[in-house]
């Protein structure tokens, strides 16, 4: 067993776990002055990159002074100093960064900003979350921070000449509106894409993919409009600056002619050489200006985010001093509200004291304030008029499960050390043994983002296990003997076992007493309990109350894990790390890029015009040189969008310039060929030597940046859970480590670039010296004064052209890694077409609602085991079907196959004589109705969330809101149907979100309706109303219900029972109830035994 635990830990995926980063510090840390000036310290890494493909572990770590933690502490110290000065204006983020890192390289600026953003999102208030969506916060870290990070490098270009500064300011003035608007449009598109990707399953179930695709395409078109304006302006500047040497030369020489100033080879070509030398700094002015613009826009956005309000009640937790406590939780407040400006608070007159070890249940109707009361205890609610005190350590289980990317074991431990005995008890208590037995790698199975490869029940039990393992003092929706427990529940069965029950309604605690006392004295509580038994049937409660769930021994658990470990290698996990190209990919990414939007045509035109420009410039200089002999009359999406096209043109242009210069020098002084030819060879060697390492460094930078972004997104989603557990410091430390891991390849790639430039400049100096020496020693025609000046002019400019040529080729190759990554994503296999024009169903299909499932077999990927094993049954039109089975039995998979989220491996599903695999996905999904397991809302209005395609009138929507018990809640909002819904619907309770999903189904009115455990977050009274509404509104429809509560399927026509992916029973519910040993009978017994034995479970 010990061997297994060690193996599990060693072979887990590298998603940024803690390692000792002092063992492999960069040689830069110990390099001397000469080594740093010549970048000699980088040679070992460059040599290793030439010999092999670099991996993450080959890249040295940053020195301690440059790591994220050190930088962030300096940043916080300077920020505190600025705030202590007491200025009315908020401190300047730019000035703080400059004070901290005025001698630093690019990566350090990025580290400061990244860490400030990550720490800020953990402290962001709920009001501020409305202004800064998760997509925007992701943009701040992945785009804006890096734009600001590039600023110091380009800043040093600005002080070379005063002319550059003046022109850059002009460019900023004219370009600012384009860049600002472009950034806003990028934010809107990214927000829409993030929301669509996060909720892609729901979009597919509702057949809304096309609508959201059109929305995103519309946002992209608006973005492209501003992008075109920005790039066009950049193009105009490039033309102007590339033409400036010719224009300046012509104007100067004509002025000399008219003013009578004599021209000779010395002053004419000295002037031309100077203009050529200035050409490169002047050419950089648009780039410098662009960086100024981007940095200003990004800095403004980040500064606004960092100044956003933070949670004000995060420190309500009181440390336990070892004395005997009189209370664990104390609340005495007249007003508790999410919005300080709201006239109607969320909670009013809350007086609550929970003693240590007391178990309190909180119940009430949807929207009564239960979740807000818990959020108050956790310190999440900003506006509190009164006192809130919480003593001891809190463990929290959220209503919507939050699961980290990683193994099940990592999710349960949540940073704690492994105690095998306690770990085993938690697994048993949370009924995870059977689930772990079914998973291919036991508790070392890697869970995908947001728990994508777990069922809804499994996700909830994993996060419950996480809470139980922490051994906290207070459990919010948890259970342990001797601990204080607060449980928000709609399950009336559990209430008798609690010490006290809080009954909430309309933001108030109506009653607080023991279960029996409430039942005897409170009419409202009686109604709540009666609604449950009206739904369930109390006679069955008595009949099956004696059944007990069998336990699982320690030996059995150990046996399960050892068997699972021996079955498969951990390398074949379903969730894989992001892939990256390795080695030289040749011209493939260039061809892929140019094949889009007439790229070959435009690039060819650019090359032709540049050749004409170069030849014309040469002819001009040649004529000038001849005339001066005789007379006195006298030259990665953001990278792809903003950088790639310009970089490609500049790279090709600089190559032409370089080799043209070589040709001219060879023509004028042929002995120089003995220097040029070896020099070209050495240049190619240097370029290949550099590229071998630089490409891999760039690729690793991309994949490690993905880890940073993934961790940020995960932390945003689970911020409330992280704060509840008090784990902000641990997540912050992990973020520091991930940012350091990302900064190291960034820093070494930047250093490699400087290493290359320095060596190329040395080669250029050799060529220029050799040219001069050849003209001096050999009596050539070019030794005439005019041609000497021309040769020296080209020789001096060669330094610029060669360095820029090689550098631009390398940068271009690195930038094309963005094309590689986009191509990888674009070639992920897509699902079937949305519409098959030759085989479309009729508009009223399905008219009957008959579903025939024929020998259905399903597996999730080609080599995976079958999830469904040959299911065959027929659902008659108009029948009400209940699907039951234990967690992981295949219930949700069956529904996913009905909507073709997963394609059948074998067999078929036929609806009203139409094989669903023979029609388009959009035609199938749009003709079915569903209330999904996860109630999902989108940012927008109430109306948009119910009818995003605008197919129904306001009157129809109001009627639906009335039927699904949301009419009053919406009417209370000032804007009615236009009331706002924020991203993820977080300004509506979980129950209300599920009622919205019911409203969508009522509006859609399809002949087949699927309820995928759709009443899990609704109280019994509302559940009863919903079931009644469904029976009334869908009386003649086929209704397929995946049961979360067994009583909801008792009045179904038929019950379909699944075990381990196999159909074991399909009959009327009462017949199955009376059939001894049937799975359905067992599930009913277990359901009622849980309520009777709830006390034992709580105390256990």
């Amino acid at each position: 067993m010990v061997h297994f635990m060690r193996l599990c830990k060693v072979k887990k995926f590298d998603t940024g776990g803690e390692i000792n980063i002092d063992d492999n510090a960069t040689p830069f840390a110990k390099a001397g002055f000469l080594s740093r000036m010549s970048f000699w310290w980088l040679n070992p890494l460059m040599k290793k990159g030439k010999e092999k493909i670099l991996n993450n572990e080959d890249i040295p770590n940053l020195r301690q002074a440059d790591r994220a933690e050190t930088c962030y502490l300096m940043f916080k110290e300077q920020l505190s100093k600025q705030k202590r000065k007491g200025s009315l204006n908020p401190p300047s983020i730019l000035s703080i960064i400059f004070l901290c890192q005025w001698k630093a390289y690019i990566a350090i600026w990025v580290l400061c900003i990244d860490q400030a953003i990550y720490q800020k999102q953990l402290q962001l208030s709920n009001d501020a979350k409305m202004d800064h969506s998760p997509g925007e916060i992701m943009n701040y870290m992945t785009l804006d921070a890096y734009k600001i990070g590039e600023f110091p490098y380009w800043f040093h270009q600005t002080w070379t000449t005063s002319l550059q500064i003046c022109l850059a300011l002009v460019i900023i003035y004219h370009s600012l509106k384009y860049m600002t608007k472009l950034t806003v449009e990028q934010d809107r598109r990214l927000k829409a894409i993030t929301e669509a990707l996060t909720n892609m399953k729901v979009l597919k179930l509702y057949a809304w993919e096309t609508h959201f695709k059109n929305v995103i395409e519309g946002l992209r078109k608006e973005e492209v409009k501003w992008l075109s304006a920005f790039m066009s302006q950049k193009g105009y500047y490039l033309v102007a600056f590339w033409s400036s040497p010719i224009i300046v030369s012509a104007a100067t020489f004509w002025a000399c002619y008219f003013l009578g100033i004599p021209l000779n080879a010395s002053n004419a070509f000295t002037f031309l050489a100077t203009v050529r030398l200035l050409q490169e700094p002047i050419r950089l002015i648009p780039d410098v200006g662009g960086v100024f613009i981007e940095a200003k826009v990004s800095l403004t956005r980040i500064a606004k985010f960092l100044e956003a309000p933070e949670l004000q009640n995060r420190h309500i937790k009181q440390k336990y001093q070892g004395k005997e406590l009189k209370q664990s939780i104390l609340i005495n407040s007249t007003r508790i509200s999410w919005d300080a400006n709201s006239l109607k608070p969320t909670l009013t007159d809350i007086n609550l004291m929970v003693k240590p070890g007391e178990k309190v249940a909180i119940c009430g109707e949807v929207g009564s304030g239960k979740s807000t009361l818990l959020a108050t205890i956790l310190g999440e609610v900003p506006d509190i008029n009164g006192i809130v005190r919480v003593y001891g350590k809190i463990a929290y289980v959220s209503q919507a499960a939050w699961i980290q990317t990683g193994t099940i074991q990592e999710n349960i431990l949540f940073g704690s050390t492994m105690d095998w005995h306690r770990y085993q008890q938690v697994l048993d208590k949370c009924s995870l043994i059977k689930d772990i037995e079914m998973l291919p790698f036991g508790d070392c199975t890697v869970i995908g983002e947001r728990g994508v490869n777990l069922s809804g029940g499994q996700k909830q039990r994993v996060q419950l296990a996480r809470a139980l393992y922490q051994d906290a003092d207070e459990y919010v929706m948890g259970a342990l003997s001797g601990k204080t427990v607060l449980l928000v529940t709609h399950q009336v069965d559990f209430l008798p076992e609690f010490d006290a029950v809080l009954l909430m309604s309309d933001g108030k605690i109506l009653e607080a007493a023991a279960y029996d006392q409430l039942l005897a004295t409170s009419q409202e509580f009686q109604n709540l309990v009666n609604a449950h038994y009206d739904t369930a049937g109390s006679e069955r409660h008595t009949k099956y109350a004696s059944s007990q769930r069998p336990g699982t021994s320690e030996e059995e658990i150990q046996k399960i894990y050892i068997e699972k470990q021996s079955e498969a290698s951990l390398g074949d996990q379903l969730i894989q790390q992001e892939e990256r190209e390795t080695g030289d990919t040749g011209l493939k990414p260039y061809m892929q890029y140019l094949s889009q939007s007439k790229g070959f045509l435009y690039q060819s035109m650019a090359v032709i015009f540049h050749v004409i420009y170069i030849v014309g410039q040469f002819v001009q200089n040649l004529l000038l040189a001849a005339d001066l002999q005789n007379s006195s009359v006298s030259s990665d999406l953001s990278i792809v969008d903003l950088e790639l096209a310009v970089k490609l043109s500049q790279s090709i242009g600089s190559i032409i310039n370089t080799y043209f210069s070589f040709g001219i020098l060879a023509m004028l002084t042929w002995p120089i060929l003995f220097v040029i030819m070896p020099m070209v060879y050495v240049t190619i060697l240097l370029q290949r030597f550099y590229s071998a390492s630089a490409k891999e460094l760039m690729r690793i930078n991309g994949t490690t940046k993905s880890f940073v972004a993934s961790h940020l997104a995960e932390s945003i989603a689970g911020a409330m859970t992280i704060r509840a557990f008090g784990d902000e410091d641990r997540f912050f430390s992990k973020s520091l480590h991930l940012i350091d891991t990302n900064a190291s390849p960034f820093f070494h790639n930047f250093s490699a670039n400087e290493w290359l430039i320095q060596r190329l400049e040395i080669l250029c100096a050799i060529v220029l010296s050799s040219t001069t020496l050849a003209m001096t020693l050999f009596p050539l025609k070019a030794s005439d004064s005019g041609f000497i000046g021309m040769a020296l002019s080209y020789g001096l400019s060669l330094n610029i052209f060669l360095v820029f040529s090689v550098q631009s080729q390398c940068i271009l190759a690195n930038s094309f890694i963005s094309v590689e990554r986009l191509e990888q994503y674009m070639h992920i296999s897509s699902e079937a077409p949305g519409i098959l024009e030759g085989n479309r169903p009729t508009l009223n299909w399905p008219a009957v609602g008959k579903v025939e499932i024929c020998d259905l077999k399903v597996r999730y990927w080609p080599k995976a085991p079958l999830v469904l094993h040959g299911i065959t049954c027929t659902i008659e039109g108009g029948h009400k079907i209940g699907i039951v089975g234990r967690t992981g039995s295949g219930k949700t998979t069956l529904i996913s196959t009905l909507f073709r989220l997963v394609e059948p491996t074998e067999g078929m599903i036929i609806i009203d004589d139409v094989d669903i695999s023979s029609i388009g996905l959009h035609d199938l999904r749009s003709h079915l109705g569903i209330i999904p397991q996860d109630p999902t809302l989108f940012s927008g209005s109430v109306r948009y969330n119910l009818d995003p395609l605008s197919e129904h009138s306001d009157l129809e929507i109001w009627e639906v809101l009335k039927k699904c018990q949301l009419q009053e809640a919406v009417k209370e909002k000032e804007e009615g149907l236009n009331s706002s819904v924020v991203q993820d619907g977080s300004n509506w309770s979980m129950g209300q979100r599920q009622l919205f999903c019911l409203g969508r189904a009522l509006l859609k009115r399809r002949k087949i309706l699927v309820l995928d455990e759709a009443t899990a977050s609704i109280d019994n009274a509302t559940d009863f109303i919903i079931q009644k509404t469904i029976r009334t509104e869908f009386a003649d429809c086929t209704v397929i219900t995946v049961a979360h509560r067994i009583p909801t399927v008792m009045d179904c026509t038929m019950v379909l029972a699944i075990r381990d992916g196999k159909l074991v029973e399909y009959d009327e519910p009462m017949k199955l109830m009376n059939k001894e040993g049937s799975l359905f009978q067992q599930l009913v017994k277990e359901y009622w035994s849980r309520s009777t034995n709830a006390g034992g479970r709580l105390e256990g």
Side-chain angles (χ1 to χ4, degrees):
M1 194 63 230
V2 173
H3 168 72
F4 169 77
M5 297 301 297
R6 182 174 65 250
L7 192 62
C8 173
K9 193 173 183 74
V10 170
K11 287 198 174 184
K12 70 181 182 181
F13 279 7
D14 181 16
T15 54
E18 293 298 329
I19 60 172
N20 185 356
I21 56 177
D22 290 316
D23 296 339
N24 185 29
T26 176
F28 177 75
K30 298 180 180 179
F33 176 77
L34 291 177
S35 179
R36 290 190 181 188
M37 293 300 293
S38 63
F39 290 90
W40 197 263
W41 59 270
L42 197 61
N43 287 353
L45 180 63
M46 303 295 285
K47 183 179 179 183
K48 184 181 289 187
K50 182 64 177 174
E51 294 172 349
K52 64 184 285 286
I53 294 174
L54 292 178
N55 295 315
N56 293 44
E57 55 269 19
D58 295 321
I59 303 173
N61 300 305
L62 300 175
R63 58 180 182 169
Q64 185 62 47
D66 297 334
R67 290 178 189 162
E69 183 177 12
T70 307
C71 300
Y72 182 70
L73 290 175
M74 293 173 62
F75 175 82
K76 292 292 287 185
E77 182 182 355
Q78 288 295 334
L79 182 63
S80 299
K81 286 181 180 179
Q82 294 291 324
K83 288 183 176 179
R84 283 198 297 268
K85 292 181 180 180
S87 174
L88 295 177
N89 298 320
S92 167
I93 302 299
L94 178 61
S95 63
I96 293 171
I97 294 175
F98 186 77
L99 287 171
C100 293
Q101 306 296 342
W102 64 276
K103 293 191 292 185
Y105 53 85
I106 294 174
I108 300 301
W109 292 57
V110 178
L111 297 185
C112 277
I113 299 165
D114 277 357
Q115 281 312 109
I117 292 170
Y118 184 85
Q119 185 77 334
K120 183 68 177 186
Q121 66 85 19
L122 285 176
Q123 303 169 354
L124 210 60
S125 71
N126 288 279
D127 284 341
K129 286 180 181 178
M130 304 292 181
D131 298 326
H132 304 277
S133 70
E136 289 175 323
I137 297 173
M138 186 71 68
N139 230 355
Y140 299 154
M141 181 176 279
T142 57
L143 290 180
D144 291 335
Y146 281 86
K147 288 177 183 177
I148 296 172
E150 291 176 350
F151 174 75
Y153 172 73
W154 288 95
F155 175 77
H156 293 297
Q157 304 284 341
T158 61
W159 50 262
T160 53
T161 62
S162 58
L163 176 63
Q164 283 179 269
I165 296 175
C166 295
L167 290 177
L169 291 174
V170 173
I171 294 170
I172 290 172
Y173 178 76
H174 289 291
S175 300
L176 187 59
K177 66 174 182 178
Y178 293 118
M179 195 60 204
T180 304
K181 191 65 180 178
L182 177 59
T183 305
V184 170
E185 295 301 328
Q186 285 178 330
D187 272 349
R188 292 178 63 200
R189 174 181 53 82
L190 182 62
K191 180 180 178 181
I193 290 175
T194 301
E195 190 170 47
L197 291 177
T198 302
N199 303 299
M200 184 54 68
K201 180 180 178 180
V202 173
L203 297 186
K204 290 181 178 181
L205 291 173
Y206 284 120
W208 288 349
E209 315 100 299
T210 303
H211 169 72
F212 274 76
K213 174 175 170 287
N214 293 337
V215 170
I216 292 171
E217 286 178 348
L219 293 173
R220 176 62 175 170
K221 286 180 181 177
E222 189 68 20
E223 179 187 354
V224 168
K225 183 181 78 173
W226 290 101
L227 177 65
S228 298
F230 178 75
M231 295 302 289
S232 297
Q233 192 178 54
K234 196 169 186 178
Y236 299 149
Y237 291 143
L238 282 174
V239 171
F241 288 126
W242 274 104
S243 306
S244 59
I246 298 175
I247 297 171
V248 170
S249 301
T252 303
F253 293 155
W254 275 107
C256 291
Y257 174 76
F258 286 117
L259 294 175
I261 299 174
L263 286 175
N264 52 48
S266 175
N267 60 24
F269 280 104
T270 299
F271 174 76
L272 284 178
T274 304
V275 170
R276 282 176 175 270
L277 290 175
L278 286 174
Q279 182 181 3
E280 176 63 12
I282 293 174
R283 187 198 61 78
L284 288 175
I285 289 178
D287 294 329
V288 174
V291 170
F292 264 101
I293 295 167
E294 292 177 357
K296 181 183 184 303
V297 172
S298 297
L299 192 63
T300 301
R301 285 151 47 87
I302 291 178
K304 181 182 178 183
F305 173 71
L306 294 180
E307 292 299 325
E310 297 181 0
L311 287 171
Q312 300 300 314
N313 301 303
R314 294 174 55 242
H315 306 294
I316 64 170
K317 300 175 188 176
Q318 307 294 315
K319 290 186 178 180
Y320 178 59
Q321 303 295 334
K323 302 176 183 178
E324 186 175 346
L325 289 173
K326 294 182 179 180
Q327 69 269 332
S328 287
I329 298 170
L330 175 65
I331 302 177
N332 190 343
S333 176
T334 58
R335 172 191 169 94
I336 297 175
S337 178
W338 293 99
D339 183 3
N341 299 320
S342 174
L343 297 177
K344 183 181 179 181
T346 312
L347 301 178
T348 55
D349 300 325
I350 301 297
N351 293 294
L352 174 65
M353 185 182 76
V354 181
K355 297 177 181 178
E358 191 173 14
K359 295 174 177 58
V360 178
I362 306 171
C363 60
E365 61 190 8
V366 170
S368 59
K370 305 183 295 298
S371 298
T372 300
L373 181 60
L374 287 191
T376 302
I377 294 169
L378 296 174
E380 296 289 325
V381 184
D383 182 27
I384 299 176
N385 183 19
I387 299 172
V388 178
R389 295 284 184 268
V390 180
Y391 297 87
K393 181 181 178 182
I394 291 178
Y396 171 62
V397 181
S398 58
Q399 191 172 18
W402 176 67
I403 302 295
Q404 290 181 271
T405 302
T407 67
I408 290 178
Q409 184 186 112
E410 290 169 339
N411 268 274
I412 294 174
L413 296 183
F414 204 57
S416 302
T417 56
M418 168 59 80
D419 179 339
W420 170 241
H421 179 69
R422 178 170 181 77
Y423 181 72
Q424 167 210 316
Q425 285 185 323
V426 167
L427 293 180
D428 186 31
K429 196 175 295 290
C430 296
S431 303
L432 280 169
I433 304 301
K434 182 69 173 177
D435 302 296
I436 290 175
E437 182 180 5
M438 291 188 297
L439 293 171
F441 308 105
D443 66 345
C444 288
T445 299
V446 175
I447 303 172
E449 191 173 355
R450 301 186 302 278
V452 67
N453 48 336
L454 295 180
S455 70
Q458 287 170 330
K459 285 188 280 190
Q460 289 290 357
R461 290 201 299 281
V462 167
Q463 70 162 358
L464 178 61
R466 175 175 64 207
L468 295 184
Y469 190 83
Q470 299 305 306
D471 193 22
D473 298 294
E474 286 90 25
Y475 281 82
V476 183
M477 201 177 174
L480 267 182
S481 177
K483 305 296 183 181
T484 305
V485 178
L486 272 78
L487 175 68
V488 171
T489 182
H490 301 303
Q491 300 289 341
V492 173
D493 311 292
F494 293 99
L495 299 183
E497 308 306 327
F498 283 81
D499 300 317
V501 178
L502 303 185
L503 177 63
M504 298 193 67
S505 179
D506 197 26
K508 296 181 179 180
I509 299 177
L510 293 183
E511 304 281 352
Y515 174 84
D516 293 334
Q517 183 180 344
L518 275 182
L519 197 59
T521 60
S522 173
Q523 184 62 48
E524 291 85 355
F525 189 67
Q526 291 174 15
N527 295 338
L528 185 71
V529 175
N530 291 335
H532 168 71
Y533 290 116
D534 287 342
T535 304
S538 58
E539 69 284 351
R540 302 187 188 109
H541 181 189
T542 306
K543 182 175 179 181
Y544 297 108
S546 60
S547 176
Q548 294 289 335
R549 179 177 59 87
T552 308
S553 68
E554 181 175 348
E555 290 77 14
E556 288 176 310
I557 298 171
Q558 183 169 337
K559 181 181 178 183
I560 290 169
Y561 288 157
I562 294 174
E563 286 176 351
K564 283 295 168 186
Q565 177 60 24
S566 63
E567 283 176 6
S569 164
L570 288 177
D572 298 323
Q573 296 270 11
L574 170 61
I575 307 301
Q576 301 289 343
Q577 282 184 299
E578 180 181 353
E579 295 181 358
R580 66 179 176 94
E581 296 277 0
T582 55
D584 187 3
T585 55
L587 295 175
K588 178 183 173 183
Y590 297 86
M591 303 301 287
Q592 290 169 337
Y593 176 73
L594 290 174
S595 64
Q596 305 294 322
S597 303
K598 300 181 181 178
F600 283 108
L601 173 63
Y602 294 135
Q603 192 59 47
S604 300
M605 291 174 62
V607 171
I608 292 170
F609 284 126
H610 196 83
V611 169
I612 293 173
Y613 163 77
I614 294 294
V615 172
Q617 193 176 42
F618 167 67
V619 171
Q620 179 197 40
N621 290 332
L622 192 64
L623 292 174
L624 182 63
D627 286 343
L628 286 174
Q629 296 299 104
N630 309 310
S631 69
S632 58
V633 179
S634 340
S635 173
D636 138 34
L637 235 16
S638 183
I639 290 176
V640 175
D641 275 349
L642 295 174
E643 300 178 18
L644 218 53
V646 174
K647 284 181 178 178
L648 183 59
S649 298
Q650 289 178 343
S651 178
I652 293 175
S654 62
I655 292 171
I656 295 172
N657 279 340
T658 302
Y659 285 99
F660 205 84
S661 297
F662 279 148
I664 292 171
L665 289 175
M667 182 181 70
L668 295 175
T669 53
W670 63 265
I672 199 65
L673 283 172
F674 295 104
V675 177
I676 289 178
M677 292 177 67
M679 177 187 170
V680 171
Y681 177 71
V682 172
T683 300
I684 293 173
L685 285 181
L686 281 174
Q687 185 175 349
R688 290 180 177 176
F689 193 74
Y690 162 82
S691 296
S693 299
K695 276 190 175 182
E696 299 309 317
L697 288 169
M698 194 73 177
R699 287 167 178 153
I700 294 171
N701 177 58
T703 53
T704 54
K705 188 185 293 185
S706 296
F707 287 141
V708 175
S710 178
H711 182 63
L712 173 64
E714 202 169 68
S715 300
I716 292 171
M720 191 169 176
T721 299
I722 294 169
R723 290 194 292 261
F725 279 88
D727 262 358
E728 297 99 320
D729 289 343
R730 182 170 67 85
F731 275 78
F732 185 63
S733 296
K734 183 176 180 180
S735 177
L736 290 172
H737 168 66
L738 290 174
I739 290 174
D740 281 340
T741 303
N742 175 239
S744 183
F746 186 83
F747 163 69
H748 287 93
N749 185 51
F750 179 81
S751 300
N753 185 49
E754 297 300 316
W755 176 93
L756 176 67
I757 291 173
Q758 188 180 69
R759 281 146 183 79
L760 291 177
E761 288 181 339
I762 292 172
L763 290 178
C764 290
I766 293 173
V767 170
L768 181 61
S769 302
S770 302
T771 302
T772 308
L773 184 64
M775 289 181 172
T776 305
L777 296 179
F778 299 98
L780 304 170
K781 180 182 178 181
S783 297
D784 295 339
S785 60
F787 289 106
I788 289 176
M790 180 178 172
L792 291 177
S793 171
Y794 276 97
L796 287 170
S797 62
L798 180 65
N799 183 59
I800 294 173
F801 289 143
L802 178 65
V803 172
F804 182 66
S805 172
V806 176
Q807 186 182 18
S808 63
Q809 291 176 58
C810 296
I811 292 175
L812 182 66
N814 291 343
S815 298
F816 263 91
I817 291 170
S818 298
V819 176
E820 290 177 4
R821 290 163 62 86
L822 286 174
E823 279 291 317
Q824 283 179 345
Y825 179 76
M826 290 170 65
H827 285 86
I828 295 174
S829 57
S830 300
E831 59 181 5
I835 295 174
L836 294 175
E837 291 295 346
N839 197 14
R840 301 197 67 178
T842 59
L843 291 176
N844 65 339
W845 178 86
V848 178
K850 182 179 179 180
V851 181
E852 300 171 77
I853 303 175
C854 309
D855 193 28
L856 183 64
K857 297 179 181 178
V858 174
R859 53 168 50 97
Y860 279 106
W861 68 100
K863 296 182 180 179
L866 287 171
V867 182
L868 297 182
H869 302 263
I871 291 180
T872 300
C873 68
T874 300
I875 300 172
E876 297 295 339
H879 276 196
K880 309 298 183 281
I881 306 299
I883 302 178
V884 299
R886 303 185 190 281
T887 298
S889 60
K891 304 186 299 295
T892 299
T893 301
L894 180 58
I895 299 302
S896 297
T897 311
L898 181 64
F899 284 82
R900 288 177 62 193
L901 298 179
V902 182
E903 295 286 356
T905 304
E906 295 180 31
M908 64 181 69
I909 298 178
I910 299 172
I911 299 178
D912 282 9
D913 300 323
V914 175
D915 181 354
I916 65 171
S917 296
S918 67
I919 62 175
L921 291 179
H922 179 78
D923 283 339
L924 169 65
R925 294 166 183 169
S926 61
H927 284 80
L928 301 178
I930 187 169
I931 303 178
Q933 186 176 31
D934 297 319
T936 302
L937 298 186
F938 301 91
S939 55
S941 65
V942 169
R943 194 191 198 292
Y944 178 77
N945 270 275
L946 287 170
D947 182 28
L949 307 183
S950 300
E951 296 175 336
H952 303 278
S953 67
D954 286 1
L955 181 61
E956 290 177 294
I957 294 175
W958 279 115
E959 288 177 356
V960 162
L961 288 173
K962 183 177 181 181
K963 290 175 182 177
C964 60
Q965 307 292 310
L966 278 173
Q967 187 181 51
E968 292 303 319
V970 175
K971 279 187 174 180
E972 287 178 359
K973 307 282 185 180
E974 292 182 6
E975 299 180 3
L977 293 180
N978 294 320
S979 300
S980 67
V981 177
V982 301
Q983 192 165 356
D984 298 326
S986 56
N987 58 333
W988 296 82
S989 73
M990 186 70 74
Q992 288 171 327
R993 287 180 235 172
Q994 212 142 30
L995 291 173
F996 269 105
C997 296
L998 173 64
R1000 291 170 184 164
L1002 291 172
L1003 275 177
K1004 199 172 184 181
R1005 290 197 177 278
R1006 296 297 186 255
K1007 196 65 177 180
I1008 296 177
L1009 175 66
V1010 176
L1011 285 77
D1012 189 3
E1013 304 196 81
T1015 58
S1017 301
I1018 296 177
D1019 61 86
N1020 287 293
T1022 309
D1023 185 14
F1024 178 73
I1025 293 171
I1026 287 177
Q1027 296 299 330
K1028 183 179 178 181
T1029 302
I1030 290 173
R1031 283 194 295 269
T1032 303
E1033 298 295 326
F1034 297 93
D1036 61 341
C1037 300
T1038 303
V1039 179
I1040 302 173
T1041 302
V1042 176
H1044 176 77
R1045 299 170 179 166
I1046 291 295
T1048 60
V1049 301
M1050 295 306 298
D1051 61 350
C1052 286
T1053 313
M1054 303 281 280
V1055 169
L1056 190 156
I1058 303 177
R1059 178 193 288 129
D1060 298 331
K1062 300 174 183 176
L1063 190 153
V1064 293
E1065 295 160 9
Y1066 184 50
D1067 209 335
E1068 296 175 12
M1070 293 311 299
K1071 289 182 179 180
L1072 293 176
M1073 284 270 292
N1074 296 323
K1075 182 180 178 181
E1076 195 62 35
S1078 73
L1079 175 60
F1080 184 61
Q1081 186 190 63
Q1082 293 174 20
L1083 292 173
V1084 173
K1085 286 181 179 180
E1086 290 176 13
Y1087 177 82
W1088 290 117
S1089 69
R1090 281 198 298 269
S1091 60
T1092 299
N1093 297 302
R1097 293 294 297 274
L1098 283 166
E1099 294 299 326

